[in-house]
Amino acid sequence: MAVDYIVIVVYLAGMLAMGWWGMRRAKSKSDFLVAGRRLGPAMYSGTMAAIVLGGASTIGGVGLGYQYGLSGAWLVLTIGFGLLALSVFFSARISRLKVYTVSEMLDLRYGGRAGMISGVVMWAYTLMLAVTSTIAYATIFNVLFDVNRTLAIVIGGSIVVAYSTLGGMWSITLTDMVQFVVKTIGVLLLLLPIAVVKAGGFAEMKAQLPTEYFDPLGIGGETIFTYVLIYTFGMLIGQDIWQRVFTARSDRTAKWGGTIAGTYCLAYAVAGAVIGTAAKVMYPDLASPDDAFATIVKDELPMGVRGLVLAAALAAVMSTSSGALIACATVANNDIWSRLRGLVRPPAAGPGDEPHDEVKGNRAFILLMGVAVILAAIALNDVVEALTVAYNLLVGGLLVPILGGLLWRRGTVQGALAGVAVGGISVVALMAAFGILANEPIYYGLLASLAAYVVVSLATPATDAAVLAAWRERLAGRAPDPDAEPEPVPAHQ
């Protein structure tokens, strides 16, 4: 496997080099957190596809194909549908807001006081998302180098933390573009056709497997509905996704670039399910469906190609991990720590001082959160349960207040706070009662959040007209750009 090792080492070295190069471009808070809001359609669509298609979509998507056949594509399909819905219906408005976090959007819409509690929920979600992505390094590095779980997590996590800390969103954007290309070549152009050929073609696959493996709804209607609630709606409101929307140079870029990325996700979903179905023909008795990806790569691919495909899996995990990490650090610094210290929008210390200070502060938070993520990943074992908790909290607590703020004029800050609190508490209580992986927590938690939001909003005074007017100005893109450099004060003659 010497050739494969060389491919992987060159790839990892390239990620660190991209981080160093990105550090030279991150000169302001806007550069560091949202790539200066300057990404064009090609780079935007590539990086957006990279962040939403992580280890769960790649290794997990193939595993679902192994277990259920073509209907195993539904998990990744619902992610693609969510990205399409976000891009077509909401991304233009989100882009025009010129904010850094979802909580800032809630404060703008409701007139303050909603940001802190929503920030805590969003921080918990992004932290668990980063942790689950980091745990996935153990599987990949074990296949590559036969190292133990803890060392694998430390190696993979440290590389992501290093390039994310160095250059922030610029580094992550550059590495994500490389990762997008590697994933496309490794999974779609190499692993997919090779797996189908090795399994004997589609005719042989149909002959060897039960007919339900080729039923589009074979995974079950209730499972599909739950995927829609968790992942489609999760795509609409996650800080990790919104922070990518903020990088678009225009609302048109956000809309059409995201639409291309969402369409790519649909193709990736089908590819993963087909690869998993082919693996079922070749290896019908694997101990775990999630072993299908690593097994087919290790046993069926020639050297060099095997290294590239494993690099593709590593790219999938790294893109999600780095996106979740910078989102977690941004929320921790801007929505929680700065509010606790009473430093929301502090005055600049002097001309040119604030951008460098803010870059330094956000860089420190990425490093701090990165260490916390690596330690939590070492301590936790069950990826599915951790990811389910994260998405249940996100969707159950924040979906209604966020979409309500975008779509319903009568929603109030009291209603938003009630929706977050009731939805979040209900989800946690229902997970304790029915089990973390049960469907009831997200079903009833969402209903409870919606009821609380609507009832409390109608029972409290409407949002101040001045707040709504300022909100509409921001949505229309007519408000002053908060990232713009202040006009210089002319010297007295």
Side-chain angles (χ1 to χ4, degrees):
M1 291 187 59
V3 175
D4 299 322
Y5 291 159
I6 292 171
V7 171
I8 297 297
V9 169
V10 168
Y11 166 76
L12 294 176
M15 295 299 98
L16 291 173
M18 291 287 184
W20 184 261
W21 191 84
M23 182 176 67
R24 301 173 62 185
R25 300 199 63 169
K27 302 299 184 184
S28 68
K29 178 181 179 180
S30 177
D31 286 335
F32 194 80
L33 295 182
V34 289
R37 308 187 196 274
R38 295 201 296 269
L39 298 192
M43 187 167 282
Y44 176 85
S45 58
T47 57
M48 182 62 89
I51 187 177
V52 300
L53 296 173
S57 300
T58 304
I59 299 171
V62 172
L64 286 171
Y66 182 90
Q67 188 172 3
Y68 298 105
L70 298 186
S71 67
W74 274 106
L75 185 147
V76 186
L77 285 175
T78 56
I79 291 173
F81 293 149
L83 185 52
L84 286 170
L86 173 72
S87 302
V88 172
F89 299 112
F90 299 108
S91 63
R93 282 183 282 179
I94 292 170
S95 177
R96 289 195 291 264
L97 289 175
K98 302 294 184 186
V99 295
Y100 292 103
T101 68
V102 174
S103 296
E104 287 182 45
M105 167 264 169
L106 291 172
D107 276 350
L108 280 172
R109 166 60 181 83
Y110 294 112
R113 294 186 294 158
M116 176 63 103
I117 186 172
S118 64
V120 171
V121 174
M122 190 64 77
W123 174 80
Y125 156 73
T126 53
L127 179 71
M128 293 309 296
L129 184 62
V131 167
T132 56
S133 300
T134 304
I135 290 172
Y137 295 126
T139 301
I140 300 170
F141 277 93
N142 183 57
V143 174
L144 285 173
F145 305 117
D146 195 26
V147 297
N148 68 55
R149 179 180 184 277
T150 299
L151 182 58
I153 289 172
V154 170
I155 293 171
S158 297
I159 292 170
V160 169
V161 171
Y163 72 68
S164 300
T165 301
L166 285 171
M169 187 59 84
W170 267 121
S171 293
I172 292 170
T173 296
L174 294 170
T175 55
D176 276 0
M177 275 305 297
V178 175
Q179 289 159 356
F180 171 74
V181 172
V182 171
K183 278 192 287 193
T184 301
I185 295 172
V187 176
L188 295 183
L189 302 184
L190 292 176
L191 184 57
L192 175 61
I194 290 173
V196 172
V197 170
K198 292 281 188 178
F202 284 105
E204 183 64 20
M205 289 162 62
K206 283 191 173 183
Q208 293 285 339
L209 296 173
T211 55
E212 55 263 28
Y213 263 71
F214 302 92
D215 180 357
L217 304 178
I219 199 170
E222 185 177 354
T223 299
I224 295 170
F225 181 65
T226 303
Y227 285 165
V228 170
L229 284 183
I230 294 177
Y231 298 111
T232 300
F233 287 131
M235 287 296 106
L236 299 180
I237 59 173
Q239 169 68 25
D240 51 323
I241 309 303
W242 277 40
Q243 200 157 341
R244 293 311 172 97
V245 175
F246 301 150
T247 65
R249 70 183 178 201
S250 67
D251 51 13
R252 183 178 177 85
T253 296
K255 181 175 182 178
W256 293 109
T259 301
I260 293 170
T263 305
Y264 178 89
C265 290
L266 303 184
Y268 200 88
V270 175
V274 172
I275 293 167
T277 304
K280 183 67 176 179
V281 173
M282 290 182 278
Y283 310 99
D285 301 313
L286 291 179
S288 168
D290 285 341
D291 293 338
F293 180 90
T295 302
I296 196 171
V297 169
K298 195 172 184 179
D299 293 349
E300 301 298 337
L301 300 185
M303 65 178 184
V305 173
R306 180 172 50 211
L308 184 59
V309 173
L310 285 171
L314 200 57
V317 176
M318 282 187 159
S319 56
T320 300
S321 181
S322 58
L325 177 60
I326 193 171
C328 178
T330 302
V331 171
N333 189 17
N334 291 268
D335 292 338
I336 299 175
W337 179 243
S338 64
R339 293 169 194 264
L340 290 175
R341 296 184 60 191
L343 295 177
V344 178
R345 295 191 179 278
D353 288 345
E354 184 180 1
H356 297 288
D357 289 343
E358 294 210 40
V359 168
K360 186 183 296 183
N362 282 292
R363 184 174 281 136
F365 265 87
I366 290 182
L367 181 60
L368 179 65
M369 291 298 105
V371 172
V373 164
I374 291 172
L375 293 176
I378 292 171
L380 294 176
N381 284 313
D382 198 315
V383 178
V384 175
E385 288 197 355
L387 193 61
T388 301
V389 169
Y391 271 98
N392 279 354
L393 279 173
L394 174 71
V395 176
L398 293 181
L399 177 68
V400 171
I402 292 171
L403 292 189
L406 290 170
L407 300 173
W408 191 38
R409 178 187 175 92
R410 187 60 181 82
T412 67
V413 65
Q414 295 89 349
L417 290 171
V420 174
V422 171
I425 293 171
S426 297
V427 163
V428 171
L430 289 165
M431 282 192 292
F434 290 97
I436 290 176
L437 299 180
N439 293 326
E440 287 84 357
I442 193 63
Y443 294 168
Y444 300 132
L446 263 178
L447 290 175
S449 178
L450 177 62
Y453 177 73
V454 172
V455 170
V456 174
S457 290
L458 293 176
T460 52
T463 304
D464 185 84
V467 171
L468 286 177
W471 166 253
R472 286 194 294 270
E473 287 294 299
R474 289 290 281 267
L475 276 181
R478 293 191 292 265
D481 186 350
D483 296 328
E485 293 289 331
E487 291 292 328
V489 178
H492 293 290
Q493 299 297 324

